[in-house]
Amino acid sequence: MIGNDRIIKFCHDNLVIDYLGVDVVERDGAIVLELTVDERHVNLYNICHGGVLTTMADTAMGAECLRLGKKVVTMSLTIEFMHAVSFATKIFTRARVLHNGRKTMTCECEMLDAAGKLYAKVHAIFFVIETLEE
């Protein structure tokens, strides 16, 4: 297992995460990406752009793969939006690995608010480009 400090650094090495103002925190032993939606994140309807949520989820799932010692790239990703994320709403990720294979990994991620309201559910398949030594 890769330590949380290394995973947090990995997330911040992705310049898009810092550009968007996404916080990467440790919560109950897990890495969580958090974002309070502001003017940088909204579309013409003043709700969070789906690409912002997709970027957060993709990064959160990649971090979970890294936790297991695998560097990955996304092969496919689907996202289902349940609710619009309004301006000033704080959302966070909850990601987990479903399949930890030698060549591919499968993950899912939920996008929630503090009350537990589910805004989006994401499923992705990743290709393993490198297995790290711990």
Side-chain angles (χ1 to χ4, degrees), residues 105-126:
M105 298 181 79
T106 305
C107 300
E108 69 179 10
C109 183
E110 296 176 328
M111 310 290 296
L112 307 125
D113 66 13
K117 181 177 180 177
L118 180 65
Y119 288 87
K121 180 95 171 194
V122 187
H123 182 269
I125 300 171
F126 297 90

Side-chain angles (χ1 to χ4, degrees), residues 82-121:
M82 280 65 157
H83 300 283
V85 183
S86 301
F87 189 87
T89 300
K90 185 173 185 174
I91 55 170
F92 67 91
T93 61
R94 182 167 56 204
R96 69 185 184 117
V97 173
L98 301 174
H99 167 71
N100 181 9
R102 196 170 48 84
K103 297 278 188 187
T104 62
M105 298 181 79
T106 305
C107 300
E108 69 179 10
C109 183
E110 296 176 328
M111 310 290 296
L112 307 125
D113 66 13
K117 181 177 180 177
L118 180 65
Y119 288 87
K121 180 95 171 194

Side-chain angles (χ1 to χ4, degrees), residues 18-94:
D18 286 340
Y19 175 78
L20 291 173
V22 175
D23 293 320
V24 184
V25 299
E26 183 177 350
R27 185 186 300 158
D28 300 324
I31 297 299
V32 175
L33 279 67
E34 298 179 337
L35 176 73
T36 301
V37 177
D38 66 28
E39 59 278 346
R40 292 174 289 181
H41 312 118
V42 296
N43 60 21
L44 296 174
Y45 306 114
N46 211 33
I47 57 176
C48 189
H49 191 287
V52 172
L53 299 176
T54 304
T55 298
M56 286 179 64
D58 187 46
T59 304
M61 291 182 290
E64 286 303 307
C65 293
L66 182 62
R67 176 187 304 282
L68 298 176
K70 308 269 180 76
K71 284 186 175 181
V72 298
V73 292
T74 309
M75 291 175 61
S76 69
L77 184 147
T78 56
I79 186 165
E80 297 174 43
F81 299 102
M82 280 65 157
H83 300 283
V85 183
S86 301
F87 189 87
T89 300
K90 185 173 185 174
I91 55 170
F92 67 91
T93 61
R94 182 167 56 204

